[in-house]
Amino acid sequence: MNTPVRILGIAGSLRRESYNRAALRAATKLVPKGAILETLELDGIPAFNQDKEQNPPARVSELKRRIRKADAILFVTPEYNYSVSGVLKNAIDWASRPHGDSAWNGKPAAIMGATTGAIGTARAQNHLRQILVYLNMFPINQPEVLISHAMDRFDQEGNLTDAPTRDRIIELLQNLVDWARRIGPK
Ligand SMILES: Cc1cc2nc3c(=O)[nH]c(=O)nc-3n(C[C@H](O)[C@H](O)[C@H](O)COP(=O)(O)O)c2cc1C
């Protein structure tokens, strides 16, 4: 019970001023006591090629190692054409392979996302939940952290300024930590 819950946060955007990366940075400052939130950047991960899955690039091996070390995963997803971004799906695919050696298997997870649009990444989050079924991951359901009109919720430096969003992220992280403790390590 005294061992901290290690959360790995992954934002599905490479953009320098990404709202999703900004939301993940905000989350690192809102983790509850007894938990650690580390972040993983997806830059430098090549496009998935099944010919290489048995001997993957170094960035992919690192990705899998970091996922395996984590007790829980926090996905921060943009919405691209009603789904998750390609870079996030690409990372998910790499770390799920080769068959029988998925790094995601059995991990508790939480999902949040930011968009400049009005629906707060709800459609992308729903797609991600479907993907997590096949990965045998266990995402919490509540609260939904749907960050719409992101340009109004972060300042020019990418700091989260919207108090209700901050409160929901705090609740999401607390629920994730409680859930990870309940279902235990894989
Ligand atoms: C290829 C592409 C598709 C997009 N599709 C959607 C969409 O379906 N729904 C939505 O709300 N926003 C959509 N957007 C807007 C993104 O939510 C917005 O660019 C957001 O800032 C991207 O996340 P980021 O700031 O973390 O990079 C799209 C943006 C791009 C570049």
Side-chain angles (χ1 to χ4, degrees), residues 13 15 18-20 78-82 114-117 123:
S13 175
R15 203 166 71 84
S18 158
Y19 293 116
N20 287 282
E79 182 166 289
Y80 277 8
N81 299 313
Y82 279 21
T115 172
T116 47
R123 294 158 297 214

Side-chain angles (χ1 to χ4, degrees), residues 77-91:
T77 184
E79 182 166 289
Y80 277 8
N81 299 313
Y82 279 21
S83 188
V84 298
S85 61
V87 289
L88 179 57
K89 183 62 163 55
N90 186 55

